[in-house]
Amino acid sequence: MTPLAEILSRRIALSGPITVADYMAECLLHPEHGYYSTRDPFGTGGDFTTAPEISQMFGEMLGLCLAQAWLDQGAPVPFVLAEPGPGRGTLMADMLRATRGVPGFHAAMQLHLVEASPTLRARQRRTLEGYEVQWHDTLTDLPSLPLFLVANEFLDALPIRQFERRGSGWAERMVGTDAGQLVFGLAPLAPVASLAHRLADTREGDIVETCAPAQAVVETVAAHVAAHGGAAIFIDYGGWHSLGDTLQALRDHAPDHPLAHPGQADLTAHVDFEPLAAAAKDCAVSALTPQGVLLERLGITARAQALASRLSGEALQSHVAAHRRLTHPEEMGNLFKALALAAKGSPLPPGFAHEP
Ligand code: SAH
């Protein structure tokens, strides 16, 4: 049993089963035993790899994309460049390097990161040495300035709740204990107002998921952009809306049972973009765009060729593999989706189109 499993078992024995959301939040961010609180999980030595860790091209494309959005909105001075959940800070570092040549961009920018993990804050500080950075606990703390924001694999780490369809009601999936082990169970049937529309596309026994914190994030960003201008890009794995259990645990680059190693495995869930698009209704919202399509539109192939011309041997092979991994429909290209928003009346960031 992990130390966190013991803590959670004692809590459940005292006060009853907890929601999947409570479980996920404790696993990821418990101050002493949480997965992100205690480690840097990225890269080949860690538990999983993300797009910015695969290739510098990912951050370069997104940096230039946001810089163009800034130019399209009249290059406001000053403005906030923000990222929630920056991991190692790699995406931001690549964005900053790529935008150095955009006249006025760096001089006008204030860098703001939202990060819950002290360990990863320290890592980000090292990665972004030489830049003046401000860290925050929540997005509501950002200064009232035009906001250009990117979030990659941030929303999938926010706690989800799961509900199983029973007749015309829903039973919430809970984490309890049985014979000293953490187990999934179901709470008594209850109506769930926010799932009324899902009665039409689900059947008895189906599981659907909700993520109120992700909706709150997008709502906060959309309200900020509507009030002060700017644009935001959210990239994550998922689809329009979920059907089925998408909670997954990764440990040492291999799937793990979500209840097996609380605090020692990464826990994520597919991101549902339909409720997020609805939460951004104060802004113009793009069509949901596959990551591969977005990166191609932003010119990743030309950039990949330019970089390739300076490489040979193994370095060239791994560069070609990284390009494929980010864009190919059978790799990350289709599984990962991007959604952009901008103030109504402003153009969407390049690479994005309005809903047809
Ligand atoms: N964007 C990075 C890292 C993704 S992992 C990349 O693409 O590599 C998720 C990141 O979100 C981590 O930095 C984690 O510590 C942070 N995080 C998770 N939950 C958070 C929360 N509730 N508030 C702020 N940061 C959070």
PDB file of all heavy atoms in Angstrom, residues 28-29 36-37 41-42 48 50-53 58 83-91 114-117 120 124 136-137 151-154 156-159, ligand 1:
ATOM      1  N   LEU A  28      -3.171  13.511  -7.174  1.00  0.00           N
ATOM      2  CA  LEU A  28      -2.290  14.376  -7.956  1.00  0.00           C
ATOM      3  C   LEU A  28      -1.648  15.459  -7.103  1.00  0.00           C
ATOM      4  O   LEU A  28      -0.490  15.812  -7.313  1.00  0.00           O
ATOM      5  CB  LEU A  28      -3.062  15.004  -9.126  1.00  0.00           C
ATOM      6  CG  LEU A  28      -3.553  13.997 -10.171  1.00  0.00           C
ATOM      7  CD1 LEU A  28      -4.301  14.718 -11.287  1.00  0.00           C
ATOM      8  CD2 LEU A  28      -2.386  13.199 -10.756  1.00  0.00           C
ATOM      9  N   LEU A  29      -2.397  15.989  -6.131  1.00  0.00           N
ATOM     10  CA  LEU A  29      -1.895  17.203  -5.468  1.00  0.00           C
ATOM     11  C   LEU A  29      -1.890  17.151  -3.949  1.00  0.00           C
ATOM     12  O   LEU A  29      -1.773  18.192  -3.301  1.00  0.00           O
ATOM     13  CB  LEU A  29      -2.703  18.425  -5.960  1.00  0.00           C
ATOM     14  CG  LEU A  29      -2.454  18.784  -7.431  1.00  0.00           C
ATOM     15  CD1 LEU A  29      -3.421  19.855  -7.896  1.00  0.00           C
ATOM     16  CD2 LEU A  29      -1.019  19.235  -7.664  1.00  0.00           C
ATOM     17  N   TYR A  36       2.039  15.052  -8.512  1.00  0.00           N
ATOM     18  CA  TYR A  36       2.734  16.242  -9.029  1.00  0.00           C
ATOM     19  C   TYR A  36       3.460  17.002  -7.929  1.00  0.00           C
ATOM     20  O   TYR A  36       4.422  17.717  -8.206  1.00  0.00           O
ATOM     21  CB  TYR A  36       1.745  17.191  -9.723  1.00  0.00           C
ATOM     22  CG  TYR A  36       1.297  16.701 -11.070  1.00  0.00           C
ATOM     23  CD1 TYR A  36      -0.037  16.446 -11.343  1.00  0.00           C
ATOM     24  CD2 TYR A  36       2.223  16.488 -12.092  1.00  0.00           C
ATOM     25  CE1 TYR A  36      -0.448  15.985 -12.576  1.00  0.00           C
ATOM     26  CE2 TYR A  36       1.823  16.034 -13.331  1.00  0.00           C
ATOM     27  CZ  TYR A  36       0.495  15.783 -13.569  1.00  0.00           C
ATOM     28  OH  TYR A  36       0.094  15.336 -14.799  1.00  0.00           O
ATOM     29  N   SER A  37       2.974  16.885  -6.681  1.00  0.00           N
ATOM     30  CA  SER A  37       3.615  17.646  -5.598  1.00  0.00           C
ATOM     31  C   SER A  37       5.021  17.152  -5.329  1.00  0.00           C
ATOM     32  O   SER A  37       5.857  17.886  -4.822  1.00  0.00           O
ATOM     33  CB  SER A  37       2.806  17.523  -4.298  1.00  0.00           C
ATOM     34  OG  SER A  37       1.439  17.521  -4.548  1.00  0.00           O
ATOM     35  N   PRO A  41       7.536  14.225 -13.400  1.00  0.00           N
ATOM     36  CA  PRO A  41       7.214  12.920 -13.998  1.00  0.00           C
ATOM     37  C   PRO A  41       7.485  12.804 -15.491  1.00  0.00           C
ATOM     38  O   PRO A  41       7.183  11.780 -16.086  1.00  0.00           O
ATOM     39  CB  PRO A  41       5.707  12.823 -13.756  1.00  0.00           C
ATOM     40  CG  PRO A  41       5.226  14.235 -13.805  1.00  0.00           C
ATOM     41  CD  PRO A  41       6.369  15.098 -13.315  1.00  0.00           C
ATOM     42  N   PHE A  42       8.067  13.859 -16.110  1.00  0.00           N
ATOM     43  CA  PHE A  42       8.095  13.888 -17.577  1.00  0.00           C
ATOM     44  C   PHE A  42       9.327  13.230 -18.158  1.00  0.00           C
ATOM     45  O   PHE A  42      10.342  13.071 -17.495  1.00  0.00           O
ATOM     46  CB  PHE A  42       8.026  15.338 -18.065  1.00  0.00           C
ATOM     47  CG  PHE A  42       6.844  16.062 -17.512  1.00  0.00           C
ATOM     48  CD1 PHE A  42       6.993  16.889 -16.418  1.00  0.00           C
ATOM     49  CD2 PHE A  42       5.588  15.885 -18.046  1.00  0.00           C
ATOM     50  CE1 PHE A  42       5.899  17.550 -15.872  1.00  0.00           C
ATOM     51  CE2 PHE A  42       4.493  16.531 -17.516  1.00  0.00           C
ATOM     52  CZ  PHE A  42       4.644  17.367 -16.420  1.00  0.00           C
ATOM     53  N   PHE A  48       5.614   9.585 -18.198  1.00  0.00           N
ATOM     54  CA  PHE A  48       4.983   9.847 -19.496  1.00  0.00           C
ATOM     55  C   PHE A  48       5.673  11.011 -20.193  1.00  0.00           C
ATOM     56  O   PHE A  48       6.455  11.738 -19.591  1.00  0.00           O
ATOM     57  CB  PHE A  48       3.487  10.135 -19.338  1.00  0.00           C
ATOM     58  CG  PHE A  48       3.181  11.343 -18.491  1.00  0.00           C
ATOM     59  CD1 PHE A  48       2.977  12.582 -19.069  1.00  0.00           C
ATOM     60  CD2 PHE A  48       3.095  11.227 -17.114  1.00  0.00           C
ATOM     61  CE1 PHE A  48       2.692  13.693 -18.286  1.00  0.00           C
ATOM     62  CE2 PHE A  48       2.816  12.336 -16.321  1.00  0.00           C
ATOM     63  CZ  PHE A  48       2.619  13.576 -16.910  1.00  0.00           C
ATOM     64  N   THR A  50       5.065  14.373 -22.914  1.00  0.00           N
ATOM     65  CA  THR A  50       4.056  15.264 -23.509  1.00  0.00           C
ATOM     66  C   THR A  50       4.632  15.892 -24.776  1.00  0.00           C
ATOM     67  O   THR A  50       5.849  15.845 -24.997  1.00  0.00           O
ATOM     68  CB  THR A  50       3.674  16.378 -22.527  1.00  0.00           C
ATOM     69  OG1 THR A  50       4.876  17.057 -22.143  1.00  0.00           O
ATOM     70  CG2 THR A  50       3.001  15.814 -21.287  1.00  0.00           C
ATOM     71  N   ALA A  51       3.765  16.510 -25.574  1.00  0.00           N
ATOM     72  CA  ALA A  51       4.179  17.049 -26.876  1.00  0.00           C
ATOM     73  C   ALA A  51       5.401  17.976 -26.785  1.00  0.00           C
ATOM     74  O   ALA A  51       6.344  17.823 -27.560  1.00  0.00           O
ATOM     75  CB  ALA A  51       2.996  17.755 -27.542  1.00  0.00           C
ATOM     76  N   PRO A  52       5.422  18.944 -25.837  1.00  0.00           N
ATOM     77  CA  PRO A  52       6.610  19.817 -25.800  1.00  0.00           C
ATOM     78  C   PRO A  52       7.892  19.068 -25.455  1.00  0.00           C
ATOM     79  O   PRO A  52       8.981  19.492 -25.850  1.00  0.00           O
ATOM     80  CB  PRO A  52       6.287  20.853 -24.720  1.00  0.00           C
ATOM     81  CG  PRO A  52       5.064  20.393 -24.022  1.00  0.00           C
ATOM     82  CD  PRO A  52       4.378  19.401 -24.903  1.00  0.00           C
ATOM     83  N   GLU A  53       7.764  17.940 -24.756  1.00  0.00           N
ATOM     84  CA  GLU A  53       8.959  17.157 -24.415  1.00  0.00           C
ATOM     85  C   GLU A  53       9.396  16.295 -25.598  1.00  0.00           C
ATOM     86  O   GLU A  53      10.519  15.798 -25.621  1.00  0.00           O
ATOM     87  CB  GLU A  53       8.691  16.258 -23.189  1.00  0.00           C
ATOM     88  CG  GLU A  53       8.240  16.996 -21.932  1.00  0.00           C
ATOM     89  CD  GLU A  53       9.276  17.987 -21.403  1.00  0.00           C
ATOM     90  OE1 GLU A  53      10.483  17.767 -21.643  1.00  0.00           O
ATOM     91  OE2 GLU A  53       8.876  18.989 -20.773  1.00  0.00           O
ATOM     92  N   PHE A  58       6.833  21.882 -31.296  1.00  0.00           N
ATOM     93  CA  PHE A  58       5.491  22.076 -30.753  1.00  0.00           C
ATOM     94  C   PHE A  58       5.371  23.485 -30.158  1.00  0.00           C
ATOM     95  O   PHE A  58       4.478  24.253 -30.504  1.00  0.00           O
ATOM     96  CB  PHE A  58       5.221  20.998 -29.689  1.00  0.00           C
ATOM     97  CG  PHE A  58       3.829  21.020 -29.124  1.00  0.00           C
ATOM     98  CD1 PHE A  58       2.758  20.523 -29.850  1.00  0.00           C
ATOM     99  CD2 PHE A  58       3.590  21.535 -27.855  1.00  0.00           C
ATOM    100  CE1 PHE A  58       1.472  20.535 -29.317  1.00  0.00           C
ATOM    101  CE2 PHE A  58       2.308  21.550 -27.320  1.00  0.00           C
ATOM    102  CZ  PHE A  58       1.253  21.051 -28.049  1.00  0.00           C
ATOM    103  N   GLU A  83       0.466  30.559 -18.969  1.00  0.00           N
ATOM    104  CA  GLU A  83       0.303  29.121 -19.168  1.00  0.00           C
ATOM    105  C   GLU A  83      -0.067  28.475 -17.833  1.00  0.00           C
ATOM    106  O   GLU A  83       0.694  28.563 -16.872  1.00  0.00           O
ATOM    107  CB  GLU A  83       1.599  28.490 -19.703  1.00  0.00           C
ATOM    108  CG  GLU A  83       1.408  27.015 -20.006  1.00  0.00           C
ATOM    109  CD  GLU A  83       2.684  26.289 -20.424  1.00  0.00           C
ATOM    110  OE1 GLU A  83       3.754  26.912 -20.489  1.00  0.00           O
ATOM    111  OE2 GLU A  83       2.581  25.081 -20.674  1.00  0.00           O
ATOM    112  N   PRO A  84      -1.215  27.804 -17.783  1.00  0.00           N
ATOM    113  CA  PRO A  84      -1.504  26.990 -16.603  1.00  0.00           C
ATOM    114  C   PRO A  84      -0.944  25.576 -16.787  1.00  0.00           C
ATOM    115  O   PRO A  84      -0.971  25.038 -17.885  1.00  0.00           O
ATOM    116  CB  PRO A  84      -3.034  26.960 -16.563  1.00  0.00           C
ATOM    117  CG  PRO A  84      -3.480  27.170 -17.980  1.00  0.00           C
ATOM    118  CD  PRO A  84      -2.352  27.871 -18.722  1.00  0.00           C
ATOM    119  N   GLY A  85      -0.415  25.009 -15.731  1.00  0.00           N
ATOM    120  CA  GLY A  85       0.113  23.638 -15.784  1.00  0.00           C
ATOM    121  C   GLY A  85       1.300  23.496 -16.702  1.00  0.00           C
ATOM    122  O   GLY A  85       1.297  22.669 -17.615  1.00  0.00           O
ATOM    123  N   PRO A  86       2.379  24.271 -16.497  1.00  0.00           N
ATOM    124  CA  PRO A  86       3.489  24.292 -17.462  1.00  0.00           C
ATOM    125  C   PRO A  86       4.468  23.119 -17.344  1.00  0.00           C
ATOM    126  O   PRO A  86       5.450  23.099 -18.095  1.00  0.00           O
ATOM    127  CB  PRO A  86       4.223  25.603 -17.138  1.00  0.00           C
ATOM    128  CG  PRO A  86       3.424  26.291 -16.073  1.00  0.00           C
ATOM    129  CD  PRO A  86       2.572  25.254 -15.423  1.00  0.00           C
ATOM    130  N   GLY A  87       4.251  22.178 -16.447  1.00  0.00           N
ATOM    131  CA  GLY A  87       5.147  21.017 -16.385  1.00  0.00           C
ATOM    132  C   GLY A  87       6.577  21.426 -16.080  1.00  0.00           C
ATOM    133  O   GLY A  87       6.868  22.064 -15.079  1.00  0.00           O
ATOM    134  N   ARG A  88       7.484  21.081 -17.009  1.00  0.00           N
ATOM    135  CA  ARG A  88       8.887  21.465 -16.840  1.00  0.00           C
ATOM    136  C   ARG A  88       9.188  22.877 -17.336  1.00  0.00           C
ATOM    137  O   ARG A  88      10.333  23.315 -17.268  1.00  0.00           O
ATOM    138  CB  ARG A  88       9.768  20.512 -17.631  1.00  0.00           C
ATOM    139  CG  ARG A  88       9.930  19.170 -16.996  1.00  0.00           C
ATOM    140  CD  ARG A  88      10.821  18.319 -17.878  1.00  0.00           C
ATOM    141  NE  ARG A  88      11.260  17.127 -17.189  1.00  0.00           N
ATOM    142  CZ  ARG A  88      11.935  16.158 -17.782  1.00  0.00           C
ATOM    143  NH1 ARG A  88      12.258  16.253 -19.057  1.00  0.00           N
ATOM    144  NH2 ARG A  88      12.302  15.092 -17.103  1.00  0.00           N
ATOM    145  N   GLY A  89       8.204  23.527 -17.962  1.00  0.00           N
ATOM    146  CA  GLY A  89       8.441  24.856 -18.531  1.00  0.00           C
ATOM    147  C   GLY A  89       8.966  24.800 -19.950  1.00  0.00           C
ATOM    148  O   GLY A  89       9.320  25.823 -20.540  1.00  0.00           O
ATOM    149  N   THR A  90       9.004  23.592 -20.516  1.00  0.00           N
ATOM    150  CA  THR A  90       9.591  23.409 -21.847  1.00  0.00           C
ATOM    151  C   THR A  90       8.798  24.121 -22.937  1.00  0.00           C
ATOM    152  O   THR A  90       9.370  24.784 -23.813  1.00  0.00           O
ATOM    153  CB  THR A  90       9.656  21.895 -22.176  1.00  0.00           C
ATOM    154  OG1 THR A  90      10.296  21.230 -21.086  1.00  0.00           O
ATOM    155  CG2 THR A  90      10.405  21.638 -23.456  1.00  0.00           C
ATOM    156  N   LEU A  91       7.467  23.981 -22.882  1.00  0.00           N
ATOM    157  CA  LEU A  91       6.622  24.624 -23.900  1.00  0.00           C
ATOM    158  C   LEU A  91       6.844  26.134 -23.874  1.00  0.00           C
ATOM    159  O   LEU A  91       7.058  26.767 -24.922  1.00  0.00           O
ATOM    160  CB  LEU A  91       5.143  24.272 -23.623  1.00  0.00           C
ATOM    161  CG  LEU A  91       4.080  25.012 -24.420  1.00  0.00           C
ATOM    162  CD1 LEU A  91       4.281  24.854 -25.909  1.00  0.00           C
ATOM    163  CD2 LEU A  91       2.688  24.505 -24.025  1.00  0.00           C
ATOM    164  N   VAL A 114       0.559  29.425 -13.943  1.00  0.00           N
ATOM    165  CA  VAL A 114      -0.303  28.912 -12.873  1.00  0.00           C
ATOM    166  C   VAL A 114       0.127  27.475 -12.622  1.00  0.00           C
ATOM    167  O   VAL A 114       0.042  26.634 -13.529  1.00  0.00           O
ATOM    168  CB  VAL A 114      -1.789  28.971 -13.286  1.00  0.00           C
ATOM    169  CG1 VAL A 114      -2.664  28.330 -12.211  1.00  0.00           C
ATOM    170  CG2 VAL A 114      -2.203  30.426 -13.523  1.00  0.00           C
ATOM    171  N   GLU A 115       0.642  27.211 -11.436  1.00  0.00           N
ATOM    172  CA  GLU A 115       1.183  25.877 -11.148  1.00  0.00           C
ATOM    173  C   GLU A 115       0.918  25.536  -9.685  1.00  0.00           C
ATOM    174  O   GLU A 115       1.220  26.326  -8.797  1.00  0.00           O
ATOM    175  CB  GLU A 115       2.687  25.845 -11.444  1.00  0.00           C
ATOM    176  CG  GLU A 115       3.383  24.560 -11.045  1.00  0.00           C
ATOM    177  CD  GLU A 115       2.784  23.325 -11.691  1.00  0.00           C
ATOM    178  OE1 GLU A 115       2.852  23.193 -12.909  1.00  0.00           O
ATOM    179  OE2 GLU A 115       2.205  22.490 -10.949  1.00  0.00           O
ATOM    180  N   ALA A 116       0.377  24.345  -9.456  1.00  0.00           N
ATOM    181  CA  ALA A 116       0.050  23.927  -8.092  1.00  0.00           C
ATOM    182  C   ALA A 116       1.220  23.236  -7.403  1.00  0.00           C
ATOM    183  O   ALA A 116       1.286  23.207  -6.180  1.00  0.00           O
ATOM    184  CB  ALA A 116      -1.157  22.989  -8.126  1.00  0.00           C
ATOM    185  N   SER A 117       2.140  22.664  -8.164  1.00  0.00           N
ATOM    186  CA  SER A 117       3.184  21.839  -7.552  1.00  0.00           C
ATOM    187  C   SER A 117       4.452  22.656  -7.272  1.00  0.00           C
ATOM    188  O   SER A 117       5.052  23.217  -8.194  1.00  0.00           O
ATOM    189  CB  SER A 117       3.527  20.680  -8.505  1.00  0.00           C
ATOM    190  OG  SER A 117       4.826  20.198  -8.229  1.00  0.00           O
ATOM    191  N   LEU A 120       7.398  21.341  -9.336  1.00  0.00           N
ATOM    192  CA  LEU A 120       7.427  21.751 -10.744  1.00  0.00           C
ATOM    193  C   LEU A 120       7.650  23.256 -10.887  1.00  0.00           C
ATOM    194  O   LEU A 120       8.256  23.705 -11.855  1.00  0.00           O
ATOM    195  CB  LEU A 120       6.158  21.286 -11.456  1.00  0.00           C
ATOM    196  CG  LEU A 120       6.133  19.759 -11.669  1.00  0.00           C
ATOM    197  CD1 LEU A 120       4.805  19.292 -12.231  1.00  0.00           C
ATOM    198  CD2 LEU A 120       7.269  19.316 -12.588  1.00  0.00           C
ATOM    199  N   GLN A 124      10.360  24.823 -13.327  1.00  0.00           N
ATOM    200  CA  GLN A 124      10.046  25.878 -14.295  1.00  0.00           C
ATOM    201  C   GLN A 124      10.984  27.077 -14.114  1.00  0.00           C
ATOM    202  O   GLN A 124      11.417  27.696 -15.089  1.00  0.00           O
ATOM    203  CB  GLN A 124       8.576  26.308 -14.132  1.00  0.00           C
ATOM    204  CG  GLN A 124       7.589  25.217 -14.553  1.00  0.00           C
ATOM    205  CD  GLN A 124       6.261  25.285 -13.824  1.00  0.00           C
ATOM    206  OE1 GLN A 124       5.891  26.312 -13.249  1.00  0.00           O
ATOM    207  NE2 GLN A 124       5.526  24.181 -13.822  1.00  0.00           N
ATOM    208  N   HIS A 136       1.209  31.794  -9.950  1.00  0.00           N
ATOM    209  CA  HIS A 136      -0.076  31.950  -9.266  1.00  0.00           C
ATOM    210  C   HIS A 136      -0.668  30.578  -8.957  1.00  0.00           C
ATOM    211  O   HIS A 136      -0.359  29.598  -9.618  1.00  0.00           O
ATOM    212  CB  HIS A 136      -1.090  32.694 -10.154  1.00  0.00           C
ATOM    213  CG  HIS A 136      -0.591  34.017 -10.625  1.00  0.00           C
ATOM    214  ND1 HIS A 136      -0.657  35.154  -9.865  1.00  0.00           N
ATOM    215  CD2 HIS A 136      -0.006  34.372 -11.792  1.00  0.00           C
ATOM    216  CE1 HIS A 136      -0.137  36.163 -10.544  1.00  0.00           C
ATOM    217  NE2 HIS A 136       0.265  35.721 -11.713  1.00  0.00           N
ATOM    218  N   ASP A 137      -1.583  30.583  -7.975  1.00  0.00           N
ATOM    219  CA  ASP A 137      -2.313  29.350  -7.656  1.00  0.00           C
ATOM    220  C   ASP A 137      -3.510  29.160  -8.574  1.00  0.00           C
ATOM    221  O   ASP A 137      -3.913  28.029  -8.844  1.00  0.00           O
ATOM    222  CB  ASP A 137      -2.790  29.376  -6.202  1.00  0.00           C
ATOM    223  CG  ASP A 137      -1.619  29.304  -5.235  1.00  0.00           C
ATOM    224  OD1 ASP A 137      -0.594  28.679  -5.600  1.00  0.00           O
ATOM    225  OD2 ASP A 137      -1.706  29.889  -4.144  1.00  0.00           O
ATOM    226  N   ALA A 151      -2.554  26.246 -22.955  1.00  0.00           N
ATOM    227  CA  ALA A 151      -2.598  25.186 -21.939  1.00  0.00           C
ATOM    228  C   ALA A 151      -2.499  23.855 -22.667  1.00  0.00           C
ATOM    229  O   ALA A 151      -3.339  23.545 -23.513  1.00  0.00           O
ATOM    230  CB  ALA A 151      -3.893  25.252 -21.143  1.00  0.00           C
ATOM    231  N   ASN A 152      -1.458  23.088 -22.375  1.00  0.00           N
ATOM    232  CA  ASN A 152      -1.303  21.768 -22.987  1.00  0.00           C
ATOM    233  C   ASN A 152      -1.348  20.693 -21.914  1.00  0.00           C
ATOM    234  O   ASN A 152      -0.588  20.743 -20.940  1.00  0.00           O
ATOM    235  CB  ASN A 152       0.038  21.682 -23.730  1.00  0.00           C
ATOM    236  CG  ASN A 152       0.179  20.362 -24.461  1.00  0.00           C
ATOM    237  OD1 ASN A 152      -0.636  20.044 -25.322  1.00  0.00           O
ATOM    238  ND2 ASN A 152       1.178  19.580 -24.092  1.00  0.00           N
ATOM    239  N   GLU A 153      -2.231  19.736 -22.083  1.00  0.00           N
ATOM    240  CA  GLU A 153      -2.381  18.639 -21.111  1.00  0.00           C
ATOM    241  C   GLU A 153      -2.503  19.174 -19.683  1.00  0.00           C
ATOM    242  O   GLU A 153      -1.916  18.626 -18.760  1.00  0.00           O
ATOM    243  CB  GLU A 153      -1.214  17.653 -21.222  1.00  0.00           C
ATOM    244  CG  GLU A 153      -1.313  16.831 -22.495  1.00  0.00           C
ATOM    245  CD  GLU A 153      -0.684  15.463 -22.336  1.00  0.00           C
ATOM    246  OE1 GLU A 153      -1.087  14.739 -21.420  1.00  0.00           O
ATOM    247  OE2 GLU A 153       0.195  15.123 -23.141  1.00  0.00           O
ATOM    248  N   PHE A 154      -3.236  20.254 -19.538  1.00  0.00           N
ATOM    249  CA  PHE A 154      -3.550  20.781 -18.206  1.00  0.00           C
ATOM    250  C   PHE A 154      -4.943  20.323 -17.789  1.00  0.00           C
ATOM    251  O   PHE A 154      -5.145  19.807 -16.684  1.00  0.00           O
ATOM    252  CB  PHE A 154      -3.469  22.310 -18.233  1.00  0.00           C
ATOM    253  CG  PHE A 154      -4.029  22.970 -16.999  1.00  0.00           C
ATOM    254  CD1 PHE A 154      -3.454  22.745 -15.754  1.00  0.00           C
ATOM    255  CD2 PHE A 154      -5.135  23.813 -17.072  1.00  0.00           C
ATOM    256  CE1 PHE A 154      -3.964  23.352 -14.606  1.00  0.00           C
ATOM    257  CE2 PHE A 154      -5.649  24.417 -15.936  1.00  0.00           C
ATOM    258  CZ  PHE A 154      -5.065  24.184 -14.698  1.00  0.00           C
ATOM    259  N   ASP A 156      -6.656  17.787 -18.636  1.00  0.00           N
ATOM    260  CA  ASP A 156      -6.838  16.338 -18.405  1.00  0.00           C
ATOM    261  C   ASP A 156      -6.394  15.933 -17.001  1.00  0.00           C
ATOM    262  O   ASP A 156      -6.634  14.808 -16.564  1.00  0.00           O
ATOM    263  CB  ASP A 156      -6.121  15.499 -19.472  1.00  0.00           C
ATOM    264  CG  ASP A 156      -4.603  15.580 -19.398  1.00  0.00           C
ATOM    265  OD1 ASP A 156      -4.070  16.266 -18.497  1.00  0.00           O
ATOM    266  OD2 ASP A 156      -3.933  14.975 -20.247  1.00  0.00           O
ATOM    267  N   ALA A 157      -5.706  16.841 -16.298  1.00  0.00           N
ATOM    268  CA  ALA A 157      -5.270  16.539 -14.928  1.00  0.00           C
ATOM    269  C   ALA A 157      -6.271  17.048 -13.898  1.00  0.00           C
ATOM    270  O   ALA A 157      -6.066  16.866 -12.700  1.00  0.00           O
ATOM    271  CB  ALA A 157      -3.893  17.160 -14.678  1.00  0.00           C
ATOM    272  N   LEU A 158      -7.331  17.705 -14.356  1.00  0.00           N
ATOM    273  CA  LEU A 158      -8.296  18.241 -13.390  1.00  0.00           C
ATOM    274  C   LEU A 158      -9.319  17.159 -13.040  1.00  0.00           C
ATOM    275  O   LEU A 158      -9.694  16.341 -13.883  1.00  0.00           O
ATOM    276  CB  LEU A 158      -8.971  19.494 -13.972  1.00  0.00           C
ATOM    277  CG  LEU A 158      -7.973  20.621 -14.290  1.00  0.00           C
ATOM    278  CD1 LEU A 158      -8.684  21.834 -14.869  1.00  0.00           C
ATOM    279  CD2 LEU A 158      -7.159  21.024 -13.058  1.00  0.00           C
ATOM    280  N   PRO A 159      -9.752  17.154 -11.777  1.00  0.00           N
ATOM    281  CA  PRO A 159     -10.549  16.023 -11.267  1.00  0.00           C
ATOM    282  C   PRO A 159     -11.922  15.888 -11.934  1.00  0.00           C
ATOM    283  O   PRO A 159     -12.666  16.860 -12.028  1.00  0.00           O
ATOM    284  CB  PRO A 159     -10.726  16.352  -9.780  1.00  0.00           C
ATOM    285  CG  PRO A 159      -9.746  17.420  -9.462  1.00  0.00           C
ATOM    286  CD  PRO A 159      -9.417  18.125 -10.726  1.00  0.00           C
TER     287      PRO A 159
HETATM  288  N1  SAH B   1       1.854  21.404 -19.947  1.00  0.00           N
HETATM  289  C1  SAH B   1       2.914  20.505 -19.563  1.00  0.00           C
HETATM  290  C2  SAH B   1       2.581  19.630 -18.348  1.00  0.00           C
HETATM  291  C3  SAH B   1       1.302  18.859 -18.338  1.00  0.00           C
HETATM  292  S1  SAH B   1       1.089  17.913 -16.850  1.00  0.00           S
HETATM  293  C4  SAH B   1       3.350  19.688 -20.751  1.00  0.00           C
HETATM  294  O1  SAH B   1       2.684  19.718 -21.771  1.00  0.00           O
HETATM  295  O2  SAH B   1       4.399  19.031 -20.658  1.00  0.00           O
HETATM  296  C5  SAH B   1      -0.026  18.869 -15.890  1.00  0.00           C
HETATM  297  C6  SAH B   1       0.548  20.108 -15.266  1.00  0.00           C
HETATM  298  O3  SAH B   1      -0.518  20.776 -14.568  1.00  0.00           O
HETATM  299  C7  SAH B   1       1.631  19.903 -14.213  1.00  0.00           C
HETATM  300  O4  SAH B   1       2.521  20.982 -14.279  1.00  0.00           O
HETATM  301  C8  SAH B   1       0.820  19.909 -12.913  1.00  0.00           C
HETATM  302  O5  SAH B   1       1.582  20.143 -11.763  1.00  0.00           O
HETATM  303  C9  SAH B   1      -0.161  21.003 -13.201  1.00  0.00           C
HETATM  304  N2  SAH B   1      -1.412  20.967 -12.428  1.00  0.00           N
HETATM  305  C10 SAH B   1      -2.223  19.902 -12.229  1.00  0.00           C
HETATM  306  N3  SAH B   1      -3.326  20.263 -11.546  1.00  0.00           N
HETATM  307  C11 SAH B   1      -3.223  21.593 -11.317  1.00  0.00           C
HETATM  308  C12 SAH B   1      -4.047  22.556 -10.666  1.00  0.00           C
HETATM  309  N4  SAH B   1      -5.205  22.201 -10.114  1.00  0.00           N
HETATM  310  N5  SAH B   1      -3.633  23.840 -10.614  1.00  0.00           N
HETATM  311  C13 SAH B   1      -2.443  24.208 -11.185  1.00  0.00           C
HETATM  312  N6  SAH B   1      -1.636  23.336 -11.814  1.00  0.00           N
HETATM  313  C14 SAH B   1      -2.001  22.049 -11.874  1.00  0.00           C
END
